[in-house]
Amino acid sequence: SDEDFRDVCRRGIGGYYKKNGVFPGFLTPRSYGEMNILNSLLMPMPKIMPADKLNVGRFIPRSLSDHVRTVPVIRKWQIGEEVSFDGIKPGTYFFKSNHGSNHVIRVELPCSDEELAHIRSEAKRWLGTSYGKNTSQWWYRFIKRQVFLEPDLQAGTVAAPLTDFRFHVINGKVALLQLEVGQHTDERNNPIYDGDLNYLPQDFLRENYREVPLPVNTDRARDLAQMIGRGFQFCRVDFYLRGEEIFLGELTFLPNAGRRPVRSPELNERLCSYWTPMPRFVRVG
């Protein structure tokens, strides 16, 4: 309803205020976060939700299907279905939800009864969560909530740990590549690169400690991200790279709920320059 939408907007804007100490300036936005929140409130969404991790493959253009694919889904469960790993071969997997962020558990099968009980408890919690309600991410309420199991892309390989490649696409152009290296470890690093894949010695949303050499097919991934993301005014296209293979992880439309400020003023200005044209409020109710 209109009231529900207004409530989500209020909560998202209020969360920005609590984090930054000021309200987002929607009439003359000057920060990447402000522009992202403004876009999140105004952007149209297709009926098939691109933020649904189980639908993301439908947004790979048919012409690109030989170049990028999604991670296979081993099994999925809906609300009311009990999670069971019966019949799934031993190995390493990731258990996730399709409608939220940081809903992920690494699973080694077969698992203990205690681990299975924990996973079932988390699945119940995730499926009962109206994700995005407090962060202006209104589109999550239109996603049919499910949990699913996918394989570990590195299982059985000796390759280096997978790195998340996060391409920020604004008005059809890759404005920034953000790498997520060593997440959940003491070695966490977020190096960044411009649209031409040149390293930028600046901090984005987290610390950028050092440059990381990019795989030889990063330029190909950049081009694919641009083609996938150009259907939206803003979209973060997340890839996993494994050798010559490129996997589409998810499409994100309001990273960090728009609340985490860009640490470098120069980088903030660079990113804002891509918002031309930018969304605009005609009336604030």
Side-chain angles (χ1 to χ4, degrees):
S1 68
D2 290 345
E3 182 57 38
D4 288 339
F5 179 74
R6 285 193 290 269
D7 183 56
V8 170
C9 294
R10 291 190 199 101
R11 289 169 181 262
I13 293 169
Y16 181 94
Y17 175 80
K18 290 179 181 179
K19 178 71 175 180
N20 295 278
V22 295
F23 286 104
F26 288 155
L27 296 180
T28 56
R30 299 181 183 278
S31 76
Y32 193 49
E34 289 175 329
M35 292 182 179
N36 269 296
I37 291 180
L38 178 58
N39 178 64
S40 75
L41 299 178
L42 299 179
M43 67 177 179
M45 272 283 187
K47 289 184 177 179
I48 299 174
M49 282 291 163
D52 183 342
K53 296 179 181 67
L54 292 173
N55 273 339
V56 71
R58 301 176 71 166
F59 292 86
I60 299 175
R62 188 171 299 177
S63 61
L64 303 182
S65 60
D66 292 337
H67 305 284
V68 58
R69 58 194 174 99
T70 57
V71 181
V73 173
I74 303 300
R75 189 175 294 174
K76 55 187 177 181
W77 300 265
Q78 302 179 30
I79 294 175
E81 294 181 331
E82 184 175 68
V83 173
S84 171
F85 301 134
D86 291 347
I88 299 176
K89 68 180 182 179
T92 307
Y93 300 85
F94 287 98
F95 184 75
K96 301 180 176 182
S97 83
N98 68 326
H99 70 288
S101 179
N102 293 320
H103 291 178
V104 56
I105 300 174
R106 187 175 183 272
V107 183
E108 189 74 37
L109 296 182
C111 66
S112 67
D113 292 342
E114 292 77 12
E115 178 67 7
L116 179 58
H118 170 68
I119 290 169
R120 286 173 172 169
S121 175
E122 286 295 275
K124 183 177 180 180
R125 182 176 67 85
W126 295 346
L127 292 171
T129 300
S130 180
Y131 191 83
K133 184 177 182 179
N134 298 317
T135 57
S136 299
Q137 298 175 87
W138 53 267
W139 50 89
Y140 281 110
R141 66 175 52 203
F142 296 101
I143 294 175
K144 180 182 178 181
R145 301 176 201 171
Q146 299 180 77
V147 291
F148 63 98
L149 192 72
E150 66 181 28
D152 180 357
L153 293 177
Q154 287 194 282
T157 73
V158 293
L162 283 177
T163 299
D164 290 350
F165 286 71
R166 302 177 177 181
F167 292 93
H168 295 248
V169 183
I170 308 173
N171 286 317
K173 296 181 179 179
V174 171
L176 188 78
L177 166 59
Q178 167 197 3
L179 297 192
E180 182 64 67
V181 181
Q183 190 174 15
H184 307 305
T185 73
D186 294 336
E187 300 297 321
R188 186 172 188 174
N189 180 28
N190 285 129
I192 56 170
Y193 306 78
D194 65 17
D196 294 322
L197 304 181
N198 298 307
Y199 175 68
L200 299 174
Q202 299 165 333
D203 289 343
F204 181 35
L205 305 179
R206 300 182 186 276
E207 290 86 354
N208 172 10
Y209 292 116
R210 58 191 172 278
E211 182 177 4
V212 173
L214 297 174
V216 293
N217 61 339
T218 303
D219 56 345
R220 181 164 154 245
R222 184 265 323 272
D223 295 343
L224 293 172
Q226 189 158 280
M227 294 178 71
I228 292 171
R230 68 186 179 189
F232 311 94
Q233 184 161 33
F234 169 83
C235 181
R236 196 189 76 193
V237 181
D238 293 359
F239 284 149
Y240 302 112
L241 274 63
R242 183 180 68 182
E244 293 295 316
E245 297 177 289
I246 299 175
F247 296 89
L248 175 59
E250 62 182 281
L251 301 178
T252 300
F253 297 91
L254 188 59
N256 296 282
R259 297 174 184 175
R260 189 180 293 274
V262 176
R263 297 187 175 210
S264 162
E266 296 82 8
L267 182 60
N268 181 70
E269 184 176 352
R270 171 195 284 265
L271 292 172
C272 288
S273 70
Y274 282 83
W275 286 94
T276 306
M278 61 170 291
R280 181 178 298 275
F281 270 122
V282 177
R283 175 177 177 270
V284 179

